[in-house]
Amino acid sequence: MRALIIDDSRAMRSILVGILDEAGFDTVPVADAEEALALLDSDRNFELALVDWNLPAMSGLELVVALRKIPNLEDLRLMMVTTETELERVREALDSGADEYIMKPFDKEMLLEKLTLLGIDV
Amino acid sequence: MRASDLPAPQSAISPLAFDYIRRLVRKESSIVLDDGKTYLVTSRLGPLARECRFESVAAFISHLQSTSTGKLHTLAVEAIATTETSFFRDHHPFAALRDEILPEMVRRRSTSRTLSIWSAACSSGQEPHSIAMILRDRFANLEGWNLQLAASDISRRMTDRAREGLYTQLEVNRGLPAPYLVRFFEQTEDRWLLREDVRKLFRFFHQNLAEPWSVVAPVDILILRNVLIYFDVDMRREVLRRVRGLLRPDGYLLLGSAETTLNIDDLFTRVPVGRAVFYQVTPKKGQER
Ligand SMILES: C[S@@+](CC[C@H](N)C(=O)[O-])C[C@H]1O[C@@H](n2cnc3c(N)ncnc32)[C@H](O)[C@@H]1O
């Protein structure tokens, strides 16, 4: 399984990479939405994307909308990983095409539980 | 070990005090405290001791020792119990309930239109409330049914919390599908409140499983998760014996993922459902389900 991780915080990227690596994923971490989209131009072989909300230029929410328009990527499971904790934000993310939502702070077990909810065996 | 289980400095208790608590807890709740669980006693009695204005856990325990068993002793026993839980804990048992067990039960009960579920060690309510959300989401056709939905725990503090239905961000972040969060919760400052129509589905009450049970009507689905592990073998056997008396012949028992009836009560049949395991009372020869 391959996972794309989009987060502008180096520390957060390395935490997520650490957890997913251990769970048996191949991980590709990137720092912003533009980089993620550029990458997906040529490589759509991902089962999972973890998207931070607050990214430098294009927001995580805009990225989710963009990702959902990419052909041959319909099976990608999308989870927001964010410090945004307003109920309205969760609703917005789901309405925009995210499948799951996890609020920071979280621990490894919580993240893995969320993956189970996405139908991913860990 | 949870961070909150680390003892505060100067909270040491004597082996005699530990032994007193161990006996009290065993007698009142059947919970077995192993040797070396002193840290657990001090960390869990600490907040209660402070609340009751004792200067230390040791002082609290010696007060308990010198008075006859009453309210404070009960509170102490309840405080010792491990209450860890989460929404949709372990996922698969709840998926099996949603996709197999509940549809089957609803089909079988379509004439009597009664369904009874008991969550018998419900802690702060995540377990019964997970089922309540499944019922609201998937079984809207139960309008007009006689639903007997009950949930109990030895700890009144826990059943109060369960009834209140108010959860922290950390708690709703664990195991709860985001679509359910959006659909069934309201946000109140830094807490998440389960919507009233879901919160009120289960009736919450106090029940010590080591005492006579107040639930006497037959049960279709009995959820008894992650509580037998705290009991000794005799008490596990006794509880399972009573469960057999309470379950309908086609009813299901759900235990915790690390628990089994095996080698404790051989009158249950293990029934794998999806990626979970349920138990049914083994039919006597010549009896049909
Ligand atoms: C670890 S929690 C499990 C909660 C939930 N069933 C789950 O699986 O997530 C164990 C619960 O059992 C309760 N308990 C312990 N001894 C009990 C007894 N003798 N009678 C009833 N409940 C008891 C505790 O108060 C606690 O809430």
Side-chain angles (χ1 to χ4, degrees):
Chain A
M1 291 250 230
R2 287 177 82 224
L4 182 58
I5 295 167
I6 308 110
D7 201 308
D8 61 335
S9 148
R10 189 185 297 274
M12 190 41 81
R13 284 200 303 276
S14 103
I15 290 171
L16 292 172
V17 165
I19 298 174
L20 290 186
D21 274 353
E22 202 182 312
F25 280 89
D26 287 329
T27 48
V28 181
V30 300
D32 59 48
E34 292 72 11
E35 201 181 333
L37 290 171
L39 182 85
L40 288 166
D41 259 347
S42 54
D43 177 5
R44 291 185 192 164
N45 186 20
F46 289 96
E47 279 80 28
L48 173 70
L50 303 184
V51 183
D52 182 20
W53 193 298
N54 296 298
L55 294 171
M58 185 180 195
S59 78
L61 190 70
E62 289 165 330
L63 175 60
V64 166
V65 173
L67 289 175
R68 282 303 181 219
K69 289 190 183 138
I70 299 178
N72 303 322
L73 204 60
E74 293 80 7
D75 292 339
L76 180 72
R77 269 147 299 176
L78 266 174
M79 176 152 80
M80 299 292 293
V81 182
T82 168
T83 48
E84 299 290 331
T85 57
E86 296 287 308
L87 179 61
E88 270 323 304
R89 288 286 157 126
V90 186
R91 195 191 307 275
E92 237 179 305
L94 296 182
D95 288 349
S96 303
D99 300 303
E100 260 304 335
Y101 196 102
I102 190 166
M103 303 176 221
K104 298 173 191 170
F106 58 84
D107 60 22
K108 171 177 150 186
E109 199 187 334
M110 286 153 96
L111 187 79
L112 297 180
E113 281 167 359
K114 285 286 185 183
L115 296 186
T116 311
L117 287 180
L118 290 170
I120 294 172
D121 265 325
V122 282
Chain B
M1 195 189 298
R2 292 180 289 176
S4 61
D5 280 339
L6 290 173
Q10 302 122 16
S11 67
I13 56 167
S14 69
L16 275 178
F18 173 69
D19 202 53
Y20 166 77
I21 291 295
R22 169 151 68 177
R23 280 165 203 270
L24 175 73
V25 166
R26 177 78 170 255
K27 178 160 170 287
E28 300 297 323
S29 71
S30 292
I31 297 174
V32 179
L33 291 176
D34 295 329
D35 286 336
K37 285 284 169 75
T38 312
Y39 71 91
L40 193 144
V41 169
T42 48
S43 65
R44 295 196 183 166
L45 290 187
L48 183 59
R50 269 193 298 282
E51 224 173 273
C52 302
R53 313 221 169 259
F54 289 93
E55 63 191 30
S56 65
V57 172
F60 179 49
I61 296 177
S62 69
H63 173 81
L64 293 175
Q65 279 177 292
S66 63
T67 50
S68 56
T69 308
K71 179 93 190 155
L72 271 187
H73 298 78
T74 307
L75 288 175
V77 170
E78 294 183 8
I80 294 287
T82 299
T83 56
E84 186 174 332
T85 188
S86 65
F87 288 108
F88 299 91
R89 184 170 184 173
D90 304 323
H91 182 71
H92 301 298
F94 289 91
L97 277 166
R98 180 193 64 204
D99 299 335
E100 313 260 354
I101 302 287
L102 283 168
E104 175 191 324
M105 274 296 159
V106 166
R107 234 177 6 255
R108 283 168 176 262
R109 302 288 181 265
S110 58
T111 316
S112 66
R113 288 159 70 88
T114 49
L115 180 68
S116 107
I117 304 177
W118 179 24
S119 157
C122 69
S123 185
S124 37
Q126 283 90 330
E127 177 177 285
H129 287 322
S130 297
I131 296 171
M133 287 185 264
I134 291 174
L135 289 173
R136 272 274 176 273
D137 181 30
R138 297 292 185 96
F139 299 88
N141 55 341
L142 296 184
E143 215 61 61
W145 278 49
N146 176 11
L147 296 179
Q148 307 278 346
L149 307 177
S152 61
D153 200 277
I154 191 175
S155 163
R156 291 181 179 83
R157 210 161 47 84
M158 286 301 126
T159 48
D160 284 349
R161 274 210 61 199
R163 203 174 290 117
E164 190 179 33
L166 199 55
Y167 296 98
T168 64
Q169 178 181 306
L170 233 52
E171 288 169 329
V172 298
N173 228 358
R174 289 200 56 191
L176 180 67
Y180 276 8
L181 177 72
V182 166
R183 193 164 150 202
F184 296 123
F185 286 81
E186 294 158 19
Q187 204 168 18
T188 62
E189 284 168 43
D190 59 341
R191 294 288 159 108
W192 298 79
L193 178 65
L194 187 61
R195 259 181 26 202
E196 188 171 1
D197 60 312
V198 185
R199 199 168 74 219
K200 293 270 160 78
L201 278 178
F202 273 81
R203 176 178 65 87
F204 292 94
F205 61 102
H206 167 80
Q207 174 70 69
N208 180 348
L209 293 171
E211 288 172 359
W213 295 359
S214 64
V215 175
V216 287
V219 173
D220 295 311
I221 301 172
L222 207 160
I223 299 167
L224 185 69
R225 302 196 73 206
N226 303 300
V227 62
L228 289 184
I229 35 166
Y230 300 105
F231 299 161
D232 63 28
V233 172
D234 288 341
M235 193 59 204
R236 292 179 197 180
R237 186 165 290 134
E238 166 64 12
V239 169
L240 288 174
R241 189 185 63 77
R242 290 198 222 165
V243 166
R244 273 194 281 110
L246 203 59
L247 264 190
R248 280 188 198 278
D250 62 351
Y252 289 98
L253 167 69
L254 177 61
L255 298 176
S257 298
E259 295 166 322
T260 170
T261 60
L262 213 74
N263 300 327
I264 307 175
D265 186 324
D266 57 8
L267 296 174
F268 281 97
T269 302
R270 192 176 179 275
V271 186
V273 183
R275 296 179 55 180
V277 171
F278 287 73
Y279 295 87
Q280 288 192 302
V281 180
T282 310
K284 297 203 182 79
K285 271 210 170 64
Q287 269 184 2
E288 284 291 296
R289 273 224 174 89

